[in-house]
Amino acid sequence: MDMAMQPRREIPPMARRRSDGRDDLGFLRAQPAPLVRDRYGVVFTFSHANAMRLLTGGEVRQAGVETMEMQGVTSGPLYDFFKYSLLFSHGARHRARRTPLARSFAYKLMDALRPEMRAMAEALVLPLAGQGEVDFLNRVAAELPARMIARIACVPEADFARFGQMVYSAVRGMTVRSPQVMMRAMRDMGALTEYVEALLQARRNCAGGDFLSEYLDRAAATGLDPAEARMQIVTLIVGGSDTTRLALTALLSRLLERPGQWQALCAAPAALVPGAVREGLRYDPVTGSIAQVAERDFEMDGYPVPAGTIIAPTLVTALRDPAVYAEPDRFDIRRDDHPKLHLAFGAGAHRCLGEALARIEMEETLSVLARHLPHAELAGPPATIWGTGAIREIDGLTIRV
Ligand code: HEM
C-alpha cells in the first residue's frame, strides 16, 4: 500500500499503574506500545535508541516552562527557575548560560578535588564503625554531595543543615507533584534563590570563593545579567545534591544485597570501584525521563509525533534495554557492555555538567566504605527507588556496621 494512504496511527494512552505503585520497570514494560501518552498528553518512549535519537538528533528541544504551565504554575520562584535555568533553556540562550559554567567543571579541575573528597568521605564514614545500625542515606549519602557543593559555593558550615533542607525540598518541584509538595518546593526554591544571592555577595571571604568569582566574571563577559547568573548557581546546587545522594544510596544497597559482589569489591577496590559506579548508575538511574518538545513533525516507531508534542525519553527503561545490555536486569559490577557515553547523565547539549564530580564523589566514597567498613550489611529492607519523572525518589537505607 502507498505509504501516503496508510491510516495515521494514534499514540495510545498509557496503561494505568498497578496498585504496588513503585515497580517502575514492570509498569513501563507493560505499556501497550513503544510510544504512549499520559493524562497531560506527554508522550513517553522507552528504548535506548529512541533516547539517543531524541537527545542528540535535532528533532526536539529541551522543554522549558511548558511543563510548569501544564500544571497551572505560571509565576513564582519555581517558575522563574524553569525560565532562567540552563537546564530548561535551549539554543543560544542555553549556550550562553552553560559555557561559563562548563569550564569550571572540567574533568582535570574535578579530579584535583579527589583528595579533599576522600577526606570528606573518611570524616563521614570512619565514625560509623561499631555504631550498630546506621542511617546511611542521611548520615553519608545526603551529607557528602551537600558538603561538596557547599564547599564549591562557599556555604558556611553553620548553614549546612538549613541549606540541605532547602535544596532537598526545592528539587521536588522539578517533577509533577501534589499541590502541597509543589507549594513547599516553591517556598524553598524562593528561599534558596535568596540565599544564593547572599552567598554571591559574600563570596570573596571564603576558601572556595574563586569558583564563584571566576564564574561571575565569565558570566558577565558572555552577557548574562546578574539574576540569570545567580540562577545557574542555584541549578548547580539543586542538580548536584539529590542526584548523587540517590545514586550512592542505591549503589550501596545493590552491593550489600549481593554479598559476593560486595566482598569482591572490598578485596580489590581499585580495580572494581569504577565499574560498580557505572553499573549502579545504570541499574537505578536517578533521572526517570527527560522532557523534550518536538520542533517539527516526525515519525518514531511508526507513530506520528506532531511539532509541539512534549516527548520524554525514559531512562529507567533505556538503561535496561536488552538491545544494549545483555541480561539487563542482572546487576553486575564487572559488566563490560556499557556504551562509552553513559545515558544516566543524559546526552547532547544538556549532558550533565557535574558528571566528573559525581563519579569522583561516588568512587571515593565507595572506596572509603570498602576499605573501612567491609563487614557492612543490610539492617533492613534494601532501598526502593521509584518515579518516572525528572528526579526519582528513594526511601532510605539502614546498614549494620
Ligand atoms: C549521580 C549523579 C548525577 C546524575 C545521575 C546526573 C544526571 C543528569 C542528567 C540526566 C542531566 C541532563 C538533564 C537534561 O537533559 O534535562 C543532568 C544535567 C545537569 N547536571 Fe547532573 N547529574 C548528577 C550529578 C550532578 C552534579 C554533582 C552536578 C553539579 C554539581 C550536576 C549538575 C548538572 C547541571 C548543571 C546540569 C544541566 C546541564 C545543562 O542543562 O546544560 N549534576 N544531570
Side-chain angles (χ1 to χ4, degrees), residues 62 86-87 94 98 149 239-240 243 287 290 344-346 350 352 354 358:
Q62 192 82 341
L86 79 160
L87 241 177
H94 173 245
R98 180 172 167 116
I149 284 287
T243 44
T287 301
I290 303 180
F345 291 105
H350 288 269
C352 181

Side-chain angles (χ1 to χ4, degrees), residues 171-369:
V171 79
R172 305 265 90 81
M174 285 169 65
T175 302
V176 176
R177 303 282 173 189
S178 69
Q180 295 88 327
V181 176
M182 281 303 260
M183 287 295 285
R184 220 176 311 128
M186 217 167 314
R187 186 199 62 204
D188 286 322
M189 181 59 86
L192 183 61
T193 310
E194 280 174 25
Y195 185 80
V196 168
E197 175 59 28
L199 283 181
L200 294 181
Q201 300 292 343
R203 70 188 184 279
R204 292 191 195 275
N205 302 325
C206 89
D210 296 352
F211 170 84
L212 289 182
S213 299
E214 279 169 25
Y215 168 69
L216 288 182
D217 290 347
R218 274 193 220 121
T222 40
L224 289 196
D225 70 45
E228 210 179 0
R230 182 180 65 206
M231 205 55 104
Q232 310 322 313
I233 300 292
V234 173
T235 308
L236 267 191
I237 293 171
V238 168
S241 310
D242 221 21
T243 44
T244 316
R245 174 182 86 132
L246 190 151
L248 246 180
T249 308
L251 172 57
L252 184 64
S253 184
R254 299 305 165 235
L255 286 165
L256 298 184
E257 284 165 53
R258 297 164 180 80
Q261 293 196 43
W262 172 241
Q263 289 311 325
L265 182 118
C266 291
L272 293 178
V273 160
V277 167
R278 272 195 295 278
E279 182 66 342
L281 290 164
R282 178 191 78 85
Y283 199 82
D284 292 299
V286 170
T287 301
S289 57
I290 303 180
Q292 306 286 300
V293 180
E295 291 261 71
R296 53 186 169 80
D297 297 353
F298 61 89
E299 248 192 40
M300 185 162 257
D301 292 332
Y303 290 94
V305 179
T309 303
I310 301 182
I311 180 165
T314 308
L315 303 195
V316 175
T317 44
L319 288 160
R320 299 281 192 104
D321 187 337
V324 178
Y325 305 98
E327 296 179 63
D329 295 339
R330 183 169 47 87
F331 176 92
D332 181 359
I333 60 176
R334 293 189 181 85
R335 178 179 286 283
D336 60 6
D337 53 6
H338 291 280
K340 190 159 183 290
L341 181 144
H342 201 314
L343 190 55
F345 291 105
H350 288 269
R351 186 169 173 83
C352 181
L353 262 182
E355 174 176 353
L357 178 65
R359 280 186 198 262
I360 292 168
E361 278 178 333
M362 292 178 71
E363 289 174 8
E364 290 302 325
T365 310
L366 195 56
S367 301
V368 168
L369 287 164

